[in-house]
Amino acid sequence: MSPRAKALLIDITRCIGCGACSAACKTANDLPHEVEPQLTADTWTVVLERGGERWVRDLCRHCLQPSCVSVCPVGALVKREDGAVVYNKDICLGCRYCMIGCPFRIPKFEWHSAAPRIRKCILCAPRLEKGLPTACAEACPTEATVFGDRDTLVAIARARLDADPERYHPQVYGLTEAGGTSVLFLSPLPFEELDFDTTVASFPLPDLTWRLLLHVPNVVMLGAGFLGASYWLYRRREQVALEEEGETSGSAPRTGGDHD
Amino acid sequence: MIERVRSLLTPWRVLLAVLLVTAAVIVTFRFAFGLGSVTNLSDETPWGIWVGFDILAGIGLAAGGFIMAAAVYVFGLERYRPLLRMSILTALIGYLLFITGLILEIGRPWNIWRCIVDHNFHSPLFEIAWCVMLYTTVLLLEFSQVVLERFGWHRLEALLHKILVPLVIVGVLLSTLHQSTLGTLFTIVPHKLHPLWYSPILPVHFFISCLAAGLAMICFEGFLSWRFLKHPPRLDLLPNLARVMALILVIYFVFRIEDLALRHALPHAFAIGLPAFLFWLENLLFVVVPVVIVFRTARRMTTRSLFAASFCAVIGFIMHRFNVAVTGMQLIHETGYFPTWQELVISMSLIALGFIAAGLAVWFFPIASAGGGDASAGRNGAYRLPWRPRAASEPAEPGTGGSR
């Protein structure tokens, strides 16, 4: 992880569900203003009521080793130094493998467009370039979402857990999930009670495919050796048979190639 | 004139024409208004029947091309040569249809060439894209033999023969890679795919099963060309393929069960419910029924048992791929995906196009496997001679040429 990697810390105990983050996201990213009840191609973050009177934000987690970046055949998704996972429509094939690969089911697709794009939160990458925080963090009236360096935010999260163990479930969601994400959550309840997916592996998921792809050179070399040797054996066998036949009968050798 | 037109209009042809015209309309809608206008795909179900059936199953079933090429050219199993051309033809058609399906399936097909210039070596799909590109080229070259021969371009033909064996070896390697990597695609979603189908070594499952599926498809094609082209099936060769298929299926099944057991997922197979039902139905069709048929009739395999076994295996194989790509994910996260009639029409049209292409190719090119006194035997025999030129030191073979 780059030391410049930015992140978000979302404290569910502080969230009042006002939706200012979603609204600010719409403006900052030039999206249609109506906030839909779940993530869509035009709604990149939502605040959902979960577990009764608890408000949970959903958005791209900007994994430290993102599956979507790993699976994209052409590299249309990129993890930047500043932590943002961004998308380039100009090289995207629209294969939607990122949607399959994402452990948090975040990337959305423009199903009713003739030139569809993958759409998701980009951690306000253009704002980061100007040294600004994300629009959602800036808009949050209760500091339920705060923006900063990931290292700093992890420290803050841990400090809050230590300072007020009554208030929090003792876990920072996003610290290890999928090998660590750039969006960290603190919760008053166990995360599964707030519909978080707690079955997500605690290691970087791209390791699973990479481990297998590393065998490609071996398969090629062993395969080529095996096939080459088989072919050589077959020719050799045939040559020997031909010579023996030539010795015994002396005259008419077998017709080339017709053994059936 | 009218009589002639009427004689061409058999019910099947009319049905086929209606199907293809409908498909053309659907394709127009798909490109004008997006995938959502003709499919039930959604953000929840990004991959549906076009991926599960047209792409995953289609490629697996086309494995016969590399299996037979390896058998004849690399391992020297000469007596299977009569099946070679048909296998290569169907593999080629399979891959061309797959590419057609892919162009319909992906959202931004005008960027498809980007794989050539933009590389992500971490993506299994990138590897598949390259392998498919290269292997389709290999198949075209392998098949071009038949074309060159048909038009009598013997010098090019001789040139092709020189590179044929290396070409076949490259083709086998490329196939091994992408057939298995199709399984690697799904290894990145351990918690999104049902444990009865997920495995960290899914590529091994995919590779072993594609070998069986490729052989099943060759046997089944024997039935199809017997039924539609009136070519007698090669009952001297196909039963052997079915036996090898059964052997591979047994290995596959043992491997699959062992894999489930090692990952402590075997109890899922015995828990009453939809996952277990799908699992057993799939394995019943893909493994149990074909293996039982083959072993029961091992001594004397009839046309019927041969095709029953291979047909079951083909259906079961399609089911396996579909369960991995679509159903297995639904079992974890129910989204209620069911293909629209448009999705089904497109998939059926691709199959129909395959039939048309195969029919035309067999009619136009010297392909059909020569079974006994078949009419095409003469043509087949005539071209077969220059295929494997002997070393220069070999004695001349006077009077043997063309007589077969």
Side-chain angles (χ1 to χ4, degrees), chain A residues 10 12-13 15-17 36-39 45-59 61 104-106 108 173 185-198, chain B residues 44 333:
Chain A
I10 298 171
I12 295 167
T13 64
C15 183
I16 54 170
E36 286 148 294
Q38 75 273 334
L39 293 185
T45 184
V46 285
V47 189
L48 303 165
E49 191 181 355
R50 297 263 177 81
E53 295 288 305
R54 305 290 179 184
W55 299 92
V56 178
R57 281 189 68 191
D58 197 8
L59 72 163
R61 313 298 163 85
F104 303 104
R105 305 171 198 274
I106 297 297
K108 305 297 174 206
Y173 190 94
F185 289 90
L186 288 176
S187 162
L189 300 170
F191 282 94
E192 57 270 22
E193 287 177 29
L194 298 177
D195 285 355
F196 277 77
D197 192 341
T198 48
Chain B
E44 307 249 83
H333 185 74

Side-chain angles (χ1 to χ4, degrees), chain A residues 39-41 67-75 87 89-105 107-117 197 199-201 203 205-213 215-216 219-224 226-228 230-232 234-235 237-239 242 253-260, chain B residues 31-37 39 41-47 51 70 72-76 78-79 81-82 105-115 118-127 165 169 172-173 176-177 181 184-192 198 200-201 203 325 329 332-333 384-385 388-391 394-397 400 404:
Chain A
L39 293 185
T40 67
S67 291
C68 59
V69 171
S70 154
V71 300
C72 179
V74 291
Y87 168 71
K89 73 172 183 351
D90 294 329
I91 59 174
C92 171
L93 311 181
C95 69
R96 313 188 295 287
Y97 189 17
C98 49
M99 303 175 74
I100 294 286
C102 176
F104 303 104
R105 305 171 198 274
K108 305 297 174 206
F109 188 71
E110 295 178 315
W111 292 101
H112 291 277
S113 162
R117 293 166 294 178
D197 192 341
T199 62
V200 177
F203 57 87
L205 293 160
D207 288 356
L208 290 169
T209 43
W210 185 235
R211 190 167 75 189
L212 294 165
L213 289 174
H215 289 298
V216 166
V219 169
V220 170
M221 282 192 300
L222 288 175
F226 170 66
L227 294 168
S230 303
Y231 179 65
W232 182 84
Y234 147 54
R235 292 310 300 263
R237 214 167 52 217
E238 201 172 56
Q239 211 177 347
L242 206 74
R254 287 199 301 169
T255 310
D258 290 331
H259 294 232
D260 46 328
Chain B
F31 280 112
F33 305 109
L35 282 162
S37 65
T39 68
L41 297 176
S42 65
D43 289 333
E44 307 249 83
T45 319
W47 284 359
V51 170
V72 174
Y73 290 113
V74 180
F75 298 104
E78 272 295 331
R79 63 199 199 94
R81 195 184 279 277
E105 209 279 334
I106 65 175
R108 305 172 72 84
W110 53 90
N111 278 343
I112 198 164
W113 60 276
R114 285 279 177 185
C115 290
D118 291 298
H119 304 159
N120 180 9
F121 295 107
H122 285 261
S123 169
L125 198 54
F126 171 75
E127 191 218 293
V165 170
I169 291 182
V172 175
L173 292 175
T176 309
L177 289 182
T181 307
T184 310
L185 283 181
F186 297 92
T187 56
I188 201 163
V189 288
H191 67 294
K192 286 170 85 176
Y198 180 83
I201 48 166
M329 301 239 194
I332 297 295
H333 185 74
R384 216 187 296 164
L385 228 133
R388 290 179 38 250
R390 290 323 195 101
E394 261 172 54
E397 300 167 0
T400 50
R404 284 184 43 108

Side-chain angles (χ1 to χ4, degrees), chain B residues 352-380:
Chain B
L353 283 176
F355 269 96
I356 295 172
L360 288 176
V362 170
W363 171 68
F364 194 72
F365 295 113
I367 285 164
S369 64
D374 193 60
S376 59
R379 283 195 305 176
N380 261 353

Side-chain angles (χ1 to χ4, degrees), chain B residues 16-139:
Chain B
L16 197 63
V18 171
L19 184 70
L20 292 181
V21 170
T22 317
V25 175
I26 294 168
V27 168
T28 313
F29 267 82
R30 179 251 169 274
F31 280 112
F33 305 109
L35 282 162
S37 65
V38 292
T39 68
N40 266 343
L41 297 176
S42 65
D43 289 333
E44 307 249 83
T45 319
W47 284 359
I49 183 176
W50 290 355
V51 170
F53 177 70
D54 305 4
I55 294 176
L56 287 186
I59 289 194
L61 293 173
F66 88 85
I67 297 172
M68 293 315 288
V72 174
Y73 290 113
V74 180
F75 298 104
L77 301 171
E78 272 295 331
R79 63 199 199 94
Y80 293 96
R81 195 184 279 277
L83 299 174
L84 182 63
R85 292 200 162 184
M86 198 61 186
S87 314
I88 290 178
L89 172 71
T90 43
L92 178 63
I93 291 173
Y95 275 78
L96 293 177
L97 289 177
F98 153 72
I99 293 169
T100 313
L102 191 69
I103 287 172
L104 298 177
E105 209 279 334
I106 65 175
R108 305 172 72 84
W110 53 90
N111 278 343
I112 198 164
W113 60 276
R114 285 279 177 185
C115 290
I116 300 169
V117 293
D118 291 298
H119 304 159
N120 180 9
F121 295 107
H122 285 261
S123 169
L125 198 54
F126 171 75
E127 191 218 293
I128 293 169
W130 268 86
C131 283
V132 167
M133 260 190 293
L134 294 173
Y135 184 56
T136 308
T137 314
V138 167
L139 279 172

